Amino acid sequence: MHRYWQAANYLSGAQIYLRANALLKETLQADHIKPRLLGHWGTCPGINLIYTHLNRLIQDTDASVLFIAGPGHGAPAVLANVYLEGTYSEIYPEISQDEHGMEMLFRQFSSPGGISSHVSASTPGSIHEGGELGYCLAHATGAVFDNPDLIAVCVIGDGEAETGPLEGSWKSIRFLNPERDGAILPILHLNGYKISSATVLARMDEESVRSLLQGYGYTVYFVDGDDPMTVHKRLAEVLDKAYDTIKGIQHLARRGMGYLHLHWPLIVLRTPKGWTGPSEWKGEKIEGTFHSHQVPLEEVRNDKGQLKLLETWLRSYEPENLFDSEGRLFGELSSIIPKGNKRMGSNPHVNPGSIEKELILPAIDNYAVDVPSPGAITTQSTKQLGKFLRDIFLLNESNKNFRLFCPDETESNRLQDVFEATSRFYTGKTEVTDEHLSPYGRVIEVLSEHLCQGWMEGYLLTGRHGLFSCYEAFITIIDSMFNQYAKWIKSSKELPWRHPLASFNYLLTSHTWRQDHNGYSHQGPGFIDTVINKKSNVIRIYFPPDANCLLCVMQHCFGTKGYINVVVAGKQPELQWLNMNQARDHCRTGVSIWNWASNDNGNPDIVLACAGDIPTLETVAAAGLLKTHLPELKVRVVNIVDLMVLPPSSQHSHGLSDTSFSEIFTNSKEIIFAFHGYVSIIHDLVHGRPEPERFHVRGYMEEGTTTTPFDMTVLNNISRFQLAIAAIFRSRIGNASHVIHLFEQKLEEHHHFIREHLDDMPEIKNWTWS
Ligand SMILES: Cc1ncc(C[n+]2csc(CCOP(=O)(O)OP(=O)(O)O)c2C)c(N)n1
Ligand SMILES: [Mg+2]
């Protein structure tokens, strides 16, 4: 095992430096060195050590182990291991297990046309890039939900452990039920440093680290040292203990003997950063310090002394005793590699195409709202969705492959009907006042958007399905995680061997326009601004205006693969516009002219467009006002469900053809566009359409507080009166100043009324389309 570790260390170091002379058959020359030295060495020896020991554990126990390298910058180590175990060459035959393949492995690392310096989608066995630190333990946890036989071993950097998401992730074990879930085994790697500063945990004494982690519910095993043989022995013992503890917990739980107060194992590995690397250069310590974080010797091409030191370092692993003259690992070293799918690089849960079970969806007609005519009834759209979700839980109960993740808002978001089919997951002590808590629940409520996101990513990346329901304003907490996930999906799509995953579905509700209880802090539609910038073959954004449209959209999203679907829909009682058949047609095209609200007879003076439920309400009401007070103005109402119909089809596959775009928006008429989010999104999307300056967009402009629903629209200039005034103004229709005056008076009246009566005017509250 020690020699195997040396082989992995050799391959890791060599990936950073060598472009030729892979087996060091010749004296190392400057020519053998890459012109640009890129990558991270410091974390590699630790990752290699753990991987080697896990190989041994798997051989001894036949465990199914998923390996997650939190410090994904240690890609040379992960790559070295998947190369040694053969999974790399199976996927990329040109990187063969011989001298030539080894040279190719080195050359491609961090090189143009090659692979990135971090673990990436192209790395077999990985579901975690680790470029942005903090999410490894969340991914590990998501992966083992409903995978009772899987153990996700997660290496956590001591720098990474300082991030908010990782600090929050320690509690992940509280959300595992050993009866039905697998286990996580965190290995906290205290190598003392992050990029150049000391780490908090590494400088704490052992007892303090133990108390901290014990408090979270772990049994902590320390492995400490810089003498390889001592560390090997201790790590092997501790891994056996950890494995036995996990099995013991699962054994008891699966025989109905309980799982309260259990302590899951956790390993703290304290070894030097850059262990086995060059110990110093010109009196400056490298091994065991932050100087080993990236490339320890950067001047090897120009400095003969450094080149010599590099050669001494690489030769210290004795490559000739690891690989034969053709570059093949010696047989006795290969024997520690697990067989077939037990190799961590080919764990079937990582690329789950073959083991994935499709999500069974009920027919949405079962939940359709009966809408005899537009605006005839009022209902809560997300309440209907809750019934649909309830039945998804029921239909997929035996497949155990669907979960709802939510920062404690299922009830608040009006999805509570799901509790007829399942519960909130909870294994701790319960009180009589608790509701819907169960250790078998599939609704995962943790008040951490980071964990909801990370757990669901891990769940989806291992072949399951889910929904993340969140307050719209607080989803921006995970903007950055979304970014990373979108990058992963984009990269995965470029790899033919990666099977498509179920789409990541967001339901953003309790949105900006109806923060009746909360006000300004809860008003923020900015997530879509982040989403819109990601690759068009990954993202989709929907604004269903009513319940039937919401059901159509969600049914569609659950049936797709490989996308990130963002659905924004309100939870408050709202007027319903379309019956199920109309909703189906509307959602299929993603945009349509609402003829029932228009009076343009195919030739409008002005187009009123809208996306989002509240902007839709105000737009339809504005059309109504104009029809009543200025019937000679020909108004067309256009509703957009699928935002991505707006850009030209060259930019997004959902983009309307030029002909369809002109049929709906005309080529020259002015458009008043009431939008749910920030206006710049729409301006960006319609860029490239005929005369885009026709689009006069109104949306959320950071005005608002705890006020009436209608006042929110007034404060942000998208109320019906303001839209109607804008329509008159932009259409340049004459003789309408009396109408403008009337609408301005209404706004004035509203201003005074809400201050006196603390509520909207009855004509607003009770308004409906007639
Ligand atoms: C969220 C985030 N912030 C900052 C960085 C930049 N960064 C890359 S590596 C690193 C240090 C990591 O230290 P540690 O987790 O201890 O890893 P190791 O010592 O094993 O290299 C930092 C700060 C990052 N990758 N992700
Ligand atoms: Mg560190």
Side-chain angles (χ1 to χ4, degrees):
M1 282 170 64
H2 180 69
R3 283 172 65 205
Y4 194 90
W5 180 49
Q6 299 285 65
N9 284 339
Y10 176 76
L11 294 179
S12 305
Q15 283 176 76
I16 295 174
Y17 290 97
L18 300 188
R19 66 176 185 183
N21 194 14
L23 288 167
L24 291 185
K25 286 181 178 168
E26 298 168 35
T27 304
L28 195 59
Q29 313 272 333
D31 270 3
H32 301 144
I33 307 293
K34 297 181 185 183
R36 299 167 71 240
L37 300 178
L38 308 161
H40 299 77
W41 159 251
T43 193
C44 289
I47 293 176
N48 286 334
L49 183 78
I50 294 164
Y51 208 102
T52 304
H53 278 254
L54 289 173
N55 280 339
R56 195 278 306 167
L57 184 77
I58 295 167
Q59 289 270 47
D60 282 358
T61 61
D62 207 32
S64 173
V65 176
L66 176 69
F67 184 77
I68 296 191
H73 47 282
V78 180
L79 290 163
N81 277 287
V82 290
Y83 177 75
L84 284 173
E85 70 186 23
T87 46
Y88 204 77
S89 306
E90 283 163 24
I91 292 174
Y92 308 106
E94 65 284 10
I95 312 286
S96 46
Q97 288 186 294
D98 55 22
E99 186 176 6
H100 176 69
M102 196 187 286
E103 188 176 304
M104 300 284 285
L105 175 76
F106 300 167
R107 281 182 68 90
Q108 68 163 5
F109 178 73
S110 290
S111 302
I115 57 167
S116 81
S117 69
H118 285 70
V119 174
S120 63
S122 70
T123 313
S126 184
I127 59 166
H128 176 83
E129 143 126 12
E132 187 167 288
L133 299 167
Y135 316 135
C136 58
L137 199 51
H139 286 162
T141 308
V144 302
F145 285 149
D146 295 311
N147 270 331
D149 298 325
L150 187 63
I151 300 179
V153 177
C154 180
V155 185
I156 302 161
D158 45 357
E160 171 163 41
E162 293 175 9
T163 64
L166 196 287
E167 182 69 51
S169 295
W170 294 122
K171 72 175 81 64
S172 292
I173 42 169
R174 304 288 186 199
F175 288 80
L176 291 177
N177 176 346
E179 247 184 287
R180 68 170 184 186
D181 298 322
I184 52 173
L185 175 58
I187 302 185
L188 174 62
H189 187 205
L190 301 187
N191 62 13
Y193 292 94
K194 28 204 194 249
I195 293 179
S196 43
S197 184
T199 62
V200 173
L201 285 169
R203 298 286 164 99
M204 275 162 63
D205 61 63
E206 191 170 309
E207 258 338 284
S208 304
V209 174
R210 188 193 300 281
S211 312
L212 175 73
L213 298 169
Q214 237 169 21
Y216 283 115
Y218 296 93
T219 301
V220 188
Y221 298 102
F222 283 89
V223 180
D224 194 340
D226 58 6
D227 168 51
M229 290 308 155
T230 315
V231 170
H232 282 310
K233 187 162 181 298
R234 173 77 183 142
L235 183 55
E237 282 167 12
V238 155
L239 270 177
D240 281 342
K241 273 194 195 147
Y243 180 78
D244 290 346
T245 309
I246 288 170
K247 285 285 143 188
I249 290 170
Q250 292 177 339
H251 182 85
L252 288 181
R254 290 170 198 180
R255 273 157 194 73
M257 294 158 85
Y259 35 76
L260 285 181
H261 314 300
L262 38 87
H263 275 67
W264 292 92
L266 180 157
I267 297 172
V268 178
L269 174 68
R270 194 192 288 270
T271 55
K273 191 153 183 168
W275 197 15
T276 73
S279 73
E280 60 167 60
W281 173 248
K282 293 197 170 157
E284 188 171 78
K285 257 182 112 303
I286 299 175
E287 187 186 23
T289 76
F290 66 90
H291 290 296
S292 64
H293 179 68
Q294 284 191 340
V295 180
L297 304 166
E298 284 183 302
E299 294 303 322
V300 284
R301 275 171 71 91
N302 309 319
D303 185 316
K304 289 213 163 59
Q306 280 207 1
L307 184 65
K308 192 74 218 142
L309 186 53
L310 171 63
E311 182 164 7
T312 309
W313 165 23
L314 292 178
R315 285 198 190 282
S316 73
Y317 301 117
E318 303 180 355
E320 65 285 359
N321 290 331
L322 307 171
F323 304 97
D324 67 18
S325 61
E326 288 175 9
R328 290 179 224 284
L329 192 68
F330 280 123
E332 74 266 25
L333 299 185
S334 311
S335 69
I336 84 148
I337 300 168
K339 305 285 170 298
N341 283 352
K342 284 289 152 80
R343 292 171 301 173
M344 289 178 277
S346 58
N347 188 301
H349 293 287
V350 170
N351 188 26
S354 55
I355 57 169
E356 180 177 342
K357 292 183 188 132
E358 297 292 325
L359 190 67
I360 306 164
L361 295 173
I364 49 172
D365 300 83
N366 301 341
Y367 322 96
V369 177
D370 185 17
V371 183
S373 65
I377 66 151
T378 294
T379 199
Q380 291 176 290
S381 299
T382 52
K383 185 87 175 32
Q384 291 306 113
L385 179 67
K387 300 179 206 294
F388 178 59
L389 295 174
R390 172 197 65 205
D391 292 351
I392 295 182
F393 279 115
L394 291 175
L395 287 172
N396 295 277
E397 199 168 328
S398 61
N399 283 342
K400 302 184 174 62
N401 62 345
F402 181 68
R403 293 201 183 204
L404 169 62
F405 298 85
C406 184
D408 188 29
E409 297 149 2
T410 307
E411 199 92 36
S412 165
N413 291 341
R414 311 288 189 262
L415 299 174
Q416 64 270 34
D417 283 0
V418 297
F419 295 130
E420 291 169 18
T422 185
S423 313
R424 300 181 174 97
F425 179 80
Y426 187 72
T427 56
K429 204 168 130 250
T430 51
E431 308 284 348
V432 284
T433 42
D434 293 340
E435 285 181 10
H436 309 302
L437 300 186
S438 148
Y440 304 101
R442 311 203 132 265
V443 176
I444 309 298
E445 288 204 333
V446 59
L447 210 173
S448 161
E449 285 73 9
H450 290 120
L451 288 183
C452 288
Q453 175 76 23
W455 290 349
M456 181 153 143
E457 287 179 8
Y459 200 59
L460 264 52
L461 284 159
T462 48
R464 283 73 66 74
H465 310 262
L467 175 67
F468 181 0
S469 146
C470 192
Y471 278 14
E472 184 187 38
F474 301 138
I475 196 69
T476 55
I477 290 170
I478 57 81
D479 263 12
S480 201
M481 292 181 80
F482 156 82
N483 259 321
Q484 299 300 325
Y485 189 71
K487 286 172 190 288
W488 182 277
I489 297 298
K490 183 250 182 198
S491 310
S492 302
K493 286 185 178 210
E494 292 160 7
L495 299 164
W497 60 272
R498 285 257 177 201
H499 299 294
L501 303 170
S503 298
F504 194 114
N505 300 311
Y506 291 96
L507 172 69
L508 305 188
T509 182
S510 300
H511 64 51
T512 301
W513 298 96
R514 291 300 306 268
Q515 280 301 335
D516 306 8
H517 285 277
N518 299 300
Y520 194 39
S521 63
H522 287 50
Q523 293 156 0
F527 185 60
I528 42 183
D529 294 66
T530 303
V531 172
I532 210 122
N533 287 310
K534 286 285 159 284
K535 279 285 169 188
S536 65
N537 66 348
V538 175
I539 56 115
R540 275 95 181 91
I541 303 171
Y542 299 98
F543 288 98
D546 66 5
N548 288 334
C549 290
L550 176 61
L551 288 164
C552 289
V553 166
M554 289 310 306
Q555 184 198 37
H556 170 77
C557 292
F558 281 129
T560 63
K561 284 197 183 286
Y563 300 136
I564 300 178
N565 297 307
V566 181
V567 181
V568 187
K571 67 178 184 184
Q572 302 289 358
E574 57 188 8
L575 290 175
Q576 301 294 307
W577 311 112
L578 305 184
N579 65 34
M580 189 51 94
N581 282 338
Q582 293 163 334
R584 273 207 183 87
D585 290 342
H586 185 43
C587 295
R588 195 173 299 123
T589 51
V591 53
S592 47
I593 300 171
W594 281 5
N595 284 318
W596 52 265
S598 310
N599 65 344
D600 65 320
N601 290 328
N603 184 22
D605 297 318
I606 187 91
V607 177
L608 298 186
C610 48
D613 51 9
I614 297 297
T616 299
L617 169 66
E618 291 309 307
T619 298
V620 171
L625 285 171
L626 290 168
K627 210 180 277 187
T628 306
H629 297 285
L630 201 61
E632 61 272 33
L633 183 69
K634 287 180 280 163
V635 174
R636 171 179 294 181
V637 173
V638 172
N639 185 261
I640 292 116
V641 181
D642 174 357
L643 204 60
M644 302 324 273
V645 300
L646 292 176
S649 51
S650 57
Q651 286 172 33
H652 196 286
S653 60
H654 290 192
L656 290 176
S657 68
D658 292 345
T659 318
S660 303
F661 191 87
S662 299
E663 278 167 12
I664 289 175
F665 293 104
T666 77
N667 276 327
S668 57
K669 296 294 160 55
E670 304 288 309
I671 297 140
I672 310 295
F673 197 125
F675 181 47
H676 176 92
Y678 297 111
V679 300
S680 57
I681 289 184
I682 304 299
H683 288 300
D684 274 0
L685 291 176
V686 299
H687 180 78
R689 294 296 191 180
E691 298 185 38
E693 62 284 358
R694 293 180 295 145
F695 281 77
H696 306 284
V697 188
R698 291 166 177 230
Y700 180 64
M701 48 186 216
E702 289 293 329
E703 289 297 335
T705 173
T706 314
T707 185
T708 69
F710 184 66
D711 197 42
M712 268 303 291
T713 68
V714 174
L715 291 171
N716 290 282
N717 282 345
I718 68 159
S719 74
R720 57 200 67 184
F721 299 119
Q722 289 153 313
L723 294 177
I725 292 170
I728 295 169
F729 179 69
R730 292 287 173 189
S731 67
R732 297 196 186 86
I733 190 169
N735 297 329
S737 50
H738 62 292
V739 185
I740 293 179
H741 183 65
L742 174 70
F743 294 162
E744 283 171 349
Q745 269 185 336
K746 281 287 168 199
L747 286 166
E748 191 68 23
E749 201 182 318
H750 155 78
H751 181 86
H752 295 296
F753 186 94
I754 60 169
R755 276 158 183 75
E756 190 180 339
H757 300 279
L758 313 182
D759 202 358
D760 281 325
M761 299 189 291
E763 68 184 272
I764 299 291
K765 276 181 78 169
N766 305 329
W767 179 87
T768 186
W769 177 258
S770 58

